[in-house]
Amino acid sequence: MAFDTLKVVLYPDEGLLQVCEECDLADKTLPKLAKQMAKTMYKNSGCGIAAPQVGVKKRLIVVDCDQDEGRRDPIVLVNPELVETRGRLVTEGEGCLSCPGITVPITRREIAVVRYFDLEGTQWEIEGDGLLGRCLQHEIDHLNGKTLFESADLKARVQALADYEDALARGAKPGDVE
């Protein structure tokens, strides 16, 4: 069965600034949504995507930070909860499918621990550092109504908003980075 990609919602869509509701673990539509989200993420060269980025106000994310190795093995996290961040603070440029054409310096802890359910309703915990740790924090921010702009410090936010307007005027599409 082929799954269609979904349309990526772009900032400043108000849905990106709302806190998402928990998923019902018995919801039979979640596997299809997760597959569509993964397909959309891959099509747009992303390493993570959150349900609000495709217009769905549910606490569901899909991440795959190992694509460079030529394989696709997405992790689907239902109702993920950031239980701990630790390690040093690291500032790196982040892109976002919902804010195409820009990269924004964001400071995050280097390690994230997340508790979540899989599509079968089993609870798991994942610990990620590097790109995975950053991606988990970024996507959970989306579930809490927070975009790159809200995650950036004030100076970076002002610059990012100006750069974003320029990128949109140039026709930036999801997956485009600076």
Side-chain angles (χ1 to χ4, degrees):
M1 176 180 209
F3 291 95
D4 296 327
T5 59
L6 302 167
K7 182 177 178 4
V8 175
V9 173
L10 300 183
Y11 184 88
D13 185 285
E14 70 178 40
L16 293 171
L17 303 174
Q18 296 174 357
V19 175
C20 295
E21 60 191 52
E22 289 215 349
C23 296
D24 176 353
L25 295 175
D27 183 345
K28 301 291 186 212
T29 68
L30 291 179
K32 179 180 179 185
L33 175 60
K35 284 185 170 126
Q36 289 175 306
M37 287 171 57
K39 189 169 181 179
T40 302
M41 175 185 72
Y42 292 127
K43 177 185 174 202
N44 293 289
S45 304
C47 62
I49 192 166
Q53 292 182 273
V54 294
V56 178
K57 308 299 178 285
K58 294 200 178 290
R59 299 187 76 77
L60 177 70
I61 64 175
V62 177
V63 298
D64 187 351
C65 295
D66 295 325
Q67 299 171 55
D68 294 341
E69 298 167 16
R71 67 179 201 277
R72 290 185 169 175
D73 190 19
I75 303 168
V76 177
L77 297 90
V78 181
N79 298 331
E81 174 190 353
L82 188 62
V83 293
E84 179 185 7
T85 59
R86 64 178 185 275
R88 60 191 176 93
L89 288 170
V90 178
T91 302
E92 288 185 2
E94 288 185 23
C96 179
L97 297 178
S98 292
C99 307
I102 62 169
T103 303
V104 182
I106 305 292
T107 302
R108 298 191 188 275
R109 293 278 176 196
E110 63 185 339
I111 299 168
V113 179
V114 174
R115 188 173 301 125
Y116 69 98
F117 294 91
D118 64 19
L119 290 168
E120 286 76 43
T122 303
Q123 190 172 52
W124 296 89
E125 199 165 274
I126 186 172
E127 180 175 315
D129 62 356
L131 180 59
L132 178 58
R134 183 166 288 275
C135 184
L136 289 167
Q137 292 174 74
H138 176 110
E139 300 309 332
I140 290 172
D141 277 353
H142 275 300
L143 303 181
N144 295 322
K146 193 173 179 184
T147 71
L148 282 179
F149 301 114
E150 290 78 32
S151 297
D153 68 35
L154 184 58
K155 184 178 176 187
R157 179 182 311 155
V158 170
Q159 184 63 54
L161 286 165
D163 291 347
Y164 182 58
E165 284 185 33
D166 291 344
L168 288 180
R170 290 190 315 273
K173 302 276 185 264
D176 293 347
V177 289
E178 190 170 53

